[in-house]
Amino acid sequence: MFMKIIQSEWLKFRKSNIWLLLFVSPLLAALVGLLTDVQKMEGIEWYILLSGMLFVHGLLFLPLLTGVFSAFVTRYEHQGGGWKQLLALPVSRLQVYLAKGTVVMIFLAITQFFFIVAWYGVGMAKGMSDPFPIVSACKIALVGWLACLPLAALQLWISTAWVSFAAPLAINVIFTMPNILVANSEKYAPFYPWVQPFLTMLSAGNGKVDEFFYIPIETLLYVVLGSFLVFLCGGLLYFQRKAV
C-alpha cells in the first residue's frame, strides 16, 4: 500500500507542470557557472566552479524547491475534502505521511542529479584540464540531499497543517532570504535548516576553496540527523492527531 500511495503521488506530479521546477535550479546554477571566472589552478578548478554554482543552487533554490515540493504533495488533499477521501482508504496515517515525504525527497534527488550534470557540463564547456571528480560529485550530491531531510520534514509538517498553498511557500521564502547572512555565522549556521544544504555540499566539496563558509561535515551531519528526527516526529504526531 505504501508503494501505491507513492505511485498516486507520482501521477499527480506528472499531470502538473511542477516537474519543470526540477530543471530550474540546475539551469540557473549552470548560467552562473558559465559566468564564473575559474582560475587555472591545478586540482581545485572544479571546486572553484562548484563554489560559484552552489551560491545559486544550495543557498537559494534548493531550500525553496524543498518548500514547493512539500506544499505540492499536500495541495490536492486540502481541496474538496481530499484528506477524508484519502484516509477513508485502507491506509494508515503513518504510511500516507511517510509516502508524501518520500516523494518530496525523490524530487530533490532528481534535482541533485541534474545539478551534478550541470556542474560537469559547465566544466566541459570551459575546457577544464583536470578530470571530473566523480567520487566527490557523488558525495556532494548525497550530503546535500541528506541535508534537505530536516527542511523537508519541517516544510511537510507546515504544509500538512495549513490549508493555504501559498502560506507555507511564503514562510519558506522568508526564512531562505537570510541564508547568506546566516551562512557567515559559525555559531548559528549549522543549526539553521535552510542553510544546511549549502554548507554540507560546500564542506563536502573542498574546504580549502572557501574556508570562510567551511564547517566540518561530521558536525553538520549530526545536526542534520538530530533536527530531522525532531521535525519528523513532530510532524507525524501532529498528523496522527489531525482532524479531517
Side-chain angles (χ1 to χ4, degrees), residues 18 23 62 69 94 149 162 198:
I18 201 170
F23 306 99
L62 189 58
F69 295 147
L94 176 63
L149 283 171
W162 289 16
F198 168 73

Side-chain angles (χ1 to χ4, degrees), residues 62-148:
L62 189 58
L64 290 176
L65 288 175
T66 304
V68 172
F69 295 147
S70 298
F72 174 77
V73 296
T74 61
R75 181 183 181 184
Y76 290 95
E77 282 70 28
H78 283 310
Q79 299 174 350
W83 287 117
K84 290 183 179 180
Q85 297 175 19
L86 177 59
L87 297 177
L89 299 173
V91 295
S92 68
R93 295 196 177 202
L94 176 63
Q95 289 176 323
V96 170
Y97 195 83
L98 293 181
K100 289 184 177 295
T102 300
V103 170
V104 172
M105 295 310 299
I106 291 174
F107 294 164
L108 294 174
I110 296 172
T111 303
Q112 286 291 84
F113 170 77
F114 284 130
F115 173 73
I116 296 301
V117 171
W119 181 26
Y120 174 77
V122 171
M124 290 295 98
K126 284 181 169 290
M128 295 285 195
S129 58
D130 292 334
F132 182 65
I134 184 64
V135 175
S136 294
C138 293
K139 180 181 177 182
I140 290 164
L142 177 61
V143 297
W145 179 79
L146 290 174
C148 291

Side-chain angles (χ1 to χ4, degrees), residues 22-36 48-62 111-112 114-123 126 201:
L22 295 173
F23 306 99
V24 170
S25 184
L27 286 175
L28 291 175
L31 178 60
V32 171
L34 289 171
L35 299 175
T36 300
I48 295 174
L49 175 62
L50 173 70
S51 298
M53 295 176 67
L54 280 180
F55 273 94
V56 174
H57 176 69
L59 198 63
L60 182 60
F61 283 100
L62 189 58
T111 303
Q112 286 291 84
F114 284 130
F115 173 73
I116 296 301
V117 171
W119 181 26
Y120 174 77
V122 171
K126 284 181 169 290
M201 285 190 285

Side-chain angles (χ1 to χ4, degrees), residues 195-228:
V195 82
Q196 287 171 349
F198 168 73
L199 292 177
T200 52
M201 285 190 285
L202 193 62
S203 298
N206 192 327
K208 295 180 181 179
V209 174
D210 200 337
E211 295 182 351
F212 190 70
F213 293 107
Y214 180 74
I215 295 175
I217 190 67
E218 295 80 7
T219 301
L220 286 167
L221 290 180
Y222 284 135
V223 174
V224 165
L225 178 60
S227 55
F228 168 64

